[in-house]
Amino acid sequence: MTATRVLVLNSGSSSVKYQLLDMRDSSRLAMGLVERIGEETSRLKHSPLVGGGAARERTEPIADHEAALKAVAEELAEDGLGLDSPELAAIGHRVVHGGQSFTEPTVIDSAVLAEIERLIPVAPLHNPANLTGIRTAQALRPDLPQVAVFDTAFHTTMPESAARYAIDVETADRHRVRRYGFHGTSHAYVSRATAELLGKDPSEVNVIVLHLGNGASASAVEGGRCVDTSMGLTPLEGLVMGTRSGDLDPAVIFHLMRVGGMSTDEIDTLLNKKSGLIGLCGDNDMREIRRRIDEGDERAKLAFDIYIHRLKKYIGAYYAVLGRVDAVAFTAGVGENAAPVREAAVAGLEGLGLAVDGDLNAVRGDAPRLISPAGARVAVAVVPTDEELEIAAQTYALVGKNI
C-alpha cells in the first residue's frame, strides 16, 4: 500500500490546528482545532470530511500539546484515519521563522530542531509552540518523516537591497536583524494560483499578492520569486492590521518610553495587540467596521481610510519594484470577502491599469476569479488561499519520492 496521506499541524502556544489530506487528489479527509490547551475549558472541534460522519466537539481539560495530539489521534482513529495508518506518509509542520537557514521545506532532525530553537529570539511567540508540536508528533510517530515548512522560506529570494535595513551592518548581522517576511506559504500558493488563473506559467507572471486577514502582508512576486514583502524582522512591519500598527517611525517607541514612561513590554503590547484597526476604532472585524461606516460612524470611517491608504501605498510601491505587473491578487479573510476593501484599494489607480468591475467584485465564491473589467491591462483577482494544502504539497513533494 502506497502512503499518500499527509497530516498538517499548525501548533500555537495554546492551540493546534490540523488537517489530514490525501495527496493523490489533494482531498481533505479530516480537519479540526484544539484550543485553550492548558485550561480547564479546553475544546477540540473535529470534522470528518469523508464517509458522511458528523462533526464532533469535546470540551474537557487538555493539559498540554502531547495530550492535545493524543486527542486528535483518537478522533482520527474513530474515523478510521488513525496516526498508525500505513497510508500516512508524513507529518508537515508549519514553522513561522526559519531565518536565513531554511529556504525550502526540510526533513526535521536534531540539527534542524536546534536551529529552530536558536531562532526563538526573533520569533518568541511562535517558534517555541512550533517546536512543542514537532517534538510531540515525533514522540507519537518516531518512525514517520516530519517536515518543517517555513513561513519565511518563500521570501528568502528577496535581494539584499530589499532584505537589509539601513543600519550598521555588523550590528545587524550579529543580532540577525533583517527583513524575513511571513505568510510565505500563502504568498507562494496564491502567486502560483494567480498565474494558473491567467493561463500562464508562474515564471511568466509578475504578481502583487495582498494577504489581508487579521494579520496582513503584501508581496511583490516576479516570475514566481518573491522580490519584496511588507513584513520584516517580525510580523509587525507593513500594512495596517487587525491589532498591529504596521509601519511606524521607530522614534515613536523612544518617545513613548521617554515621555510616556512606558516599558518595553507595554509598548510591545500596544503595537502588537492594541493598535491597527482595533486601536483606531475599537473593532478589528472589517464587517463590523463597514456596518459602522454605513451608520455614519466617523471613527470607523477614519480607520478604514487609514487601512486603505497604507494598502494603496504598498500596491504603488510594489508596482514600481516590479516594473511590470500582470495581476494584483487579493486573498485571506478580508481580501477574499470584503468587496469594499478591494474596490477602495485600487480606486484612483486606473492610470496604472488597475480597476474592478462592480458586478464581478460583488460576486462571492470559493474559486479563484477575476474581478477586473474585460481587457484590463492588469488583472485584479480574488484567489482563496490554502496554506494547509501548500504545506501538505511541499511535505509530500519532499518525502513522497522516497516512499
Side-chain angles (χ1 to χ4, degrees):
M1 181 181 296
T2 301
T4 59
R5 294 175 182 170
V6 174
L7 177 64
V8 174
L9 294 178
N10 181 354
S11 300
S13 58
S14 61
S15 67
V16 176
K17 296 179 184 178
Y18 63 93
Q19 288 194 17
L20 181 66
L21 298 95
D22 190 326
M23 300 316 295
R24 287 177 296 185
D25 57 4
S26 299
S27 60
R28 286 167 175 76
L29 306 178
M31 63 188 297
L33 167 67
V34 188
E35 54 188 347
R36 298 197 291 267
I37 295 171
E39 301 180 20
E40 292 184 4
T41 56
S42 307
R43 181 169 62 179
L44 190 161
K45 295 185 286 187
H46 175 83
S47 298
L49 303 176
V50 292
R56 304 186 292 273
E57 186 171 314
R58 293 163 55 171
T59 303
E60 61 191 42
I62 298 176
D64 51 31
H65 282 71
E66 181 178 1
L69 284 186
K70 285 181 178 177
V72 170
E74 290 169 5
E75 294 296 330
L76 290 170
E78 187 170 328
D79 300 323
L81 303 168
L83 296 189
D84 58 351
S85 169
E87 294 182 71
L88 188 60
I91 298 177
H93 297 267
R94 179 198 180 210
V95 179
V96 167
H97 216 308
Q100 292 178 269
S101 305
F102 300 108
T103 62
E104 55 190 18
T106 305
V107 174
I108 299 168
D109 57 20
S110 58
V112 172
L113 283 173
E115 183 62 16
I116 295 172
E117 190 163 15
R118 192 179 73 86
L119 288 163
I120 286 175
V122 291
L125 299 179
H126 298 95
N127 275 29
N130 301 155
L131 281 167
T132 299
I134 291 168
R135 287 172 173 144
T136 302
Q138 285 179 322
L140 289 175
R141 281 298 306 267
D143 59 312
L144 202 64
Q146 312 266 340
V147 174
V149 178
F150 298 91
D151 267 16
T152 50
F154 183 64
H155 305 303
T156 58
T157 55
M158 284 192 296
E160 285 292 278
S161 56
R164 279 198 175 271
Y165 292 111
I167 65 172
D168 173 68
V169 171
E170 291 184 4
T171 301
D173 289 348
R174 185 183 315 120
H175 299 291
R176 299 191 295 278
V177 175
R178 63 186 287 116
R179 304 183 64 253
Y180 294 101
F182 299 89
H183 294 146
T185 50
S186 177
H187 287 281
Y189 177 86
V190 171
S191 59
R192 194 170 59 248
T194 302
E196 184 177 337
L197 180 64
L198 299 180
K200 297 182 179 181
D201 188 90
S203 64
E204 302 173 326
V205 177
N206 290 354
V207 185
I208 297 172
V209 178
L210 303 172
H211 177 108
L212 308 179
N214 192 49
S217 60
S219 67
V221 183
E222 182 178 51
R225 294 167 57 86
C226 177
V227 294
D228 206 348
T229 192
S230 58
M231 287 179 168
L233 173 72
T234 75
L236 181 57
E237 187 179 358
L239 302 175
V240 175
M241 304 177 223
T243 66
R244 298 180 190 134
S245 65
D247 290 341
L248 191 75
D249 179 353
V252 170
I253 297 170
F254 311 142
H255 179 80
L256 293 174
M257 294 175 73
R258 293 168 181 157
V259 178
M262 296 178 69
S263 68
T264 303
D265 287 345
E266 287 173 331
I267 295 172
D268 189 300
T269 299
L270 171 69
L271 298 182
N272 279 290
K273 298 180 179 179
K274 297 181 179 180
S275 295
L277 292 172
I278 205 163
L280 290 167
C281 72
D283 273 309
N284 63 332
D285 187 322
M286 188 59 72
R287 294 165 296 188
E288 181 64 15
I289 291 171
R290 291 300 310 177
R291 183 193 66 77
R292 287 171 56 185
I293 292 171
D294 291 342
E295 293 178 354
D297 189 317
E298 289 298 322
R299 190 174 168 193
K301 183 179 185 304
L302 178 60
F304 182 81
D305 290 346
I306 292 170
Y307 181 94
I308 294 298
H309 181 77
R310 184 82 54 84
L311 184 56
K312 192 172 293 190
K313 282 174 67 175
Y314 268 91
I315 293 172
Y318 287 170
Y319 205 118
V321 166
L322 291 168
R324 187 199 84 242
V325 175
D326 300 294
V328 173
F330 289 87
T331 193
V334 174
E336 293 169 27
N337 297 299
V341 169
R342 298 190 296 260
E343 180 181 8
V346 301
L349 301 181
E350 292 82 5
L352 299 178
L354 287 164
V356 298
D357 179 288
D359 292 336
L360 294 176
N361 191 36
V363 173
R364 298 178 68 91
D366 297 326
R369 60 195 186 277
L370 294 176
I371 60 172
S372 45
R377 192 164 88 240
V378 178
V380 181
V382 179
V383 181
T385 191
D386 198 332
E387 294 175 86
E388 289 78 15
L389 177 57
E390 182 71 14
I391 292 170
Q394 291 191 27
T395 296
Y396 193 68
L398 186 60
V399 305
K401 56 181 177 288
N402 297 321
I403 296 173

